[in-house]
Amino acid sequence: MRYLHISKSGIWQFRYQVSPQHRHLFDDRREIKRSLKTSDKTEATIMALELEIQVRKTILTPAAATSLDEHPSTPTISKVKTPSTNEVPCYDVLERFCKYKAQHISPKAVTMLEAKCKIVLDLVGKPHLKTIRRSDAEAVASLLRTYPTNLKKHRQFNGLSGHQAIKLNKSLGLPTLSDESVKDYCQKMSGFFEWCQLNELTDINPFKAIRFKKTRRDSEAKNAYNSIELEKIFGAITRTKHQHKHSYYFWLPLLAYFTGARLNELCQLYKADIHQVEGIWAIQIDDRYEGQKLKNLTSRRIVPIHDQLLSLGFIEFVQSVQHERIFPELKESRDGFGSAASKWFGRFKTKLGFDKGQDFHSFRHTVATQLKRHQVSHIVAGELLGHAQNNITYDRYGKGLDIASLKEVINLLKPLRL
């Protein structure tokens, strides 16, 4: 049907081009457009036909158009008319957007997304979506560079608006958002406005492609551990192997170094996730069992177990655990199973003298760095680390590498001096 179109989000729309001689009948609009709010084509076709009848009745018998509103169950011209987007409240739409995102990302990520978007909207200071333009986005990007970090942790800012907090901080001199944080805020707003555009709630994405000067290389965002630092960490861990309060104090750092896996991926492991694949011991990172979560689809993978982990007795340890989960002492929270382990490692590395640039995630960067030095292709590294290749050939059609090849690559990771 020529008046039926499908949006990028899969929702059918009715779109009717109004000829110049009839536009006065439709508030001088060039086009009548209405979301049919369904992805079912059959249902959309019926609704579109009903709307077409209403349009044609108005054209053929303009006087009759006013009587159509007497039958609310029938689609009418007045319903076809797109409400003015100037009157769409920003915070109401943000709430809808966050409910949509909650179906695709973790509760923690939704909370952070909503909080950052609210901060930006507060700084913009305009209540309706369509009134926010590119100049507002550029201005707020500059303002964010003066916005205090961890604002809620400082009592001085209690009850203050964003603008008031910025003004007060000029005298307090507390740290402000970094360029990377400002970029993150603006990217989240861009995602919000992109969704608003797709849902016909506004006409532009004012935060799209705002440019930021890169102050450091991506590889420097988190510091990898060098050989001396690794000896310091694992020397401290292995000296007290049999005195650890919890088993994860010993095994989590080792697993992180020899797999490059994320903290929560390791904390949520079940005994059944450790098994042989074609005779090779491996760790299955998945969301098959209760409480398990994946960051994204490419996180689902098989990682062969490094020979040194095997020689240290990891398989025997797993088999000795009297629980279905490997680290049952780690309890599930909103963010997964890694909260207690993250806090422990934070205290542990601070005692060893490491600064903020080095944390548990630095093991992941350490693995990536070593693989790069061994000239392992980004395809193979991505297979082990659970990274998307950003290449349609590999992401959509590529098949997983065989376990024997992956085992050879894992064993390229330098053994630790324990």
Side-chain angles (χ1 to χ4, degrees):
M1 183 177 177
R2 60 176 176 167
Y3 305 123
L4 201 57
H5 300 266
I6 193 165
S7 68
K8 291 181 180 179
S9 57
I11 301 300
W12 288 100
Q13 299 174 328
F14 173 81
R15 301 182 68 170
Y16 185 99
Q17 300 297 321
V18 183
S19 60
Q21 65 268 33
H22 296 135
R23 287 175 188 167
H24 67 284
L25 299 172
F26 303 97
D27 296 331
D28 293 322
R29 282 179 290 166
R30 296 172 178 268
E31 181 184 50
I32 295 171
K33 181 167 65 173
R34 178 189 176 186
S35 172
L36 300 177
K37 300 179 181 179
T38 181
S39 57
D40 186 295
K41 188 174 182 181
T42 302
E43 183 181 358
T45 300
I46 295 171
M47 294 172 69
L49 285 170
E50 292 174 339
L51 290 171
E52 183 187 356
I53 291 170
Q54 299 299 324
V55 171
R56 294 194 178 280
K57 278 185 177 180
T58 301
I59 291 172
L60 296 173
T61 55
T66 56
S67 65
L68 296 175
D69 293 332
E70 296 174 5
H71 305 283
S73 61
T74 304
T76 68
I77 298 305
S78 60
K79 291 184 180 180
V80 175
K81 183 178 179 180
T82 304
S84 171
T85 50
N86 286 319
E87 300 175 1
V88 178
C90 294
Y91 292 99
D92 290 354
V93 177
L94 177 61
E95 185 178 350
R96 286 174 52 193
F97 173 64
C98 290
K99 286 180 180 178
Y100 162 77
K101 293 295 288 184
Q103 302 172 38
H104 307 282
I105 59 177
S106 69
K108 178 184 177 181
V110 173
T111 300
M112 292 176 64
L113 170 66
E114 185 174 18
K116 290 182 177 181
C117 287
K118 282 184 175 179
I119 287 172
V120 176
L121 289 174
D122 174 46
L123 291 175
V124 171
K126 292 185 175 181
H128 301 125
L129 276 180
K130 200 173 182 181
T131 59
I132 301 176
R133 314 310 286 175
R134 181 66 175 195
S135 59
D136 297 308
E138 296 282 0
V140 86
S142 296
L143 271 177
L144 283 168
R145 292 182 174 89
T146 63
Y147 193 83
T149 58
N150 300 317
L151 185 143
K152 290 186 177 181
K153 293 183 179 180
H154 302 283
R155 293 181 180 178
Q156 304 97 310
F157 300 115
N158 286 352
L160 298 184
S161 68
H163 286 281
Q164 291 170 334
I166 289 171
K167 184 177 180 179
L168 175 60
N169 197 48
K170 287 180 180 178
S171 59
L172 296 176
L174 294 174
T176 56
L177 296 179
S178 66
D179 282 345
E180 288 189 4
S181 293
V182 173
K183 182 178 180 180
D184 182 53
Y185 275 70
C186 291
Q187 286 178 338
K188 283 179 168 54
M189 284 300 292
S190 181
F192 168 54
F193 270 93
E194 182 180 355
W195 180 84
C196 291
Q197 268 191 297
L198 289 173
N199 286 274
E200 303 173 5
L201 298 170
T202 190
D203 58 337
I204 66 165
N205 179 352
F207 287 86
K208 185 176 183 179
I210 290 182
R211 292 187 174 276
F212 296 87
K213 184 177 180 181
K214 208 164 190 177
T215 56
R216 63 185 180 185
R217 299 171 61 180
D218 291 340
S219 58
E220 297 172 344
K222 288 283 187 180
N223 295 324
Y225 293 116
N226 59 36
S227 298
I228 295 174
E229 291 166 339
L230 289 171
E231 286 186 20
K232 181 189 289 189
I233 291 170
F234 289 104
I237 288 173
T238 54
R239 279 196 299 272
T240 55
K241 177 179 179 181
H242 301 295
Q243 303 171 29
H244 291 310
K245 181 180 179 181
H246 298 296
S247 60
Y248 68 81
Y249 288 9
F250 179 77
W251 288 110
L252 276 181
L254 286 167
L255 286 167
Y257 174 75
F258 284 119
T259 66
R262 300 175 179 92
L263 175 61
N264 198 59
E265 291 175 339
L266 298 172
C267 293
Q268 68 184 11
L269 287 174
Y270 279 66
K271 290 178 68 174
D273 292 321
I274 313 303
H275 55 86
Q276 287 188 315
V277 180
E278 298 176 11
I280 295 173
W281 282 104
I283 299 172
Q284 183 166 346
I285 296 174
D286 214 323
D287 57 356
R288 300 179 297 167
Y289 303 114
E290 183 180 355
Q292 289 186 323
K293 301 174 184 176
L294 294 176
K295 182 176 181 180
N296 48 52
L297 291 176
T298 56
S299 299
R300 183 175 287 108
R301 62 198 187 278
I302 298 287
V303 182
I305 298 177
H306 191 282
D307 284 346
Q308 190 170 10
L309 270 177
L310 296 175
S311 65
L312 286 169
F314 179 62
I315 301 303
E316 290 76 10
F317 159 70
V318 171
Q319 293 173 342
S320 70
V321 176
Q322 301 298 307
H323 195 277
E324 59 183 356
R325 282 183 45 239
I326 295 176
F327 304 114
E329 60 269 42
L330 295 174
K331 306 303 179 183
E332 186 179 11
S333 65
R334 183 192 67 174
D335 304 330
F337 290 96
S339 180
S342 177
K343 291 176 182 177
W344 161 74
F345 189 80
R347 297 191 298 269
F348 172 74
K349 64 102 175 180
T350 299
K351 288 180 181 178
L352 293 179
F354 291 98
D355 58 29
K356 291 183 179 180
Q358 293 168 305
D359 53 21
F360 195 91
H361 203 73
S362 295
F363 288 120
R364 188 166 167 84
H365 292 276
T366 304
V367 172
T369 299
Q370 287 200 37
L371 294 179
K372 187 174 182 179
R373 287 174 181 168
H374 282 288
Q375 298 184 336
V376 174
S377 78
H378 70 281
I379 305 301
V380 178
E383 187 85 8
L384 289 169
L385 295 171
H387 285 157
Q389 307 299 340
N390 296 320
N391 182 307
I392 191 169
T393 302
Y394 290 104
D395 286 339
R396 183 172 295 179
Y397 303 111
K399 303 300 180 183
L401 300 172
D402 66 90
I403 193 72
S405 298
L406 291 176
K407 172 75 172 184
E408 290 179 11
V409 176
I410 277 292
N411 278 338
L412 290 175
L413 296 175
K414 187 178 179 180
L416 296 168
R417 295 172 60 183
L418 303 176

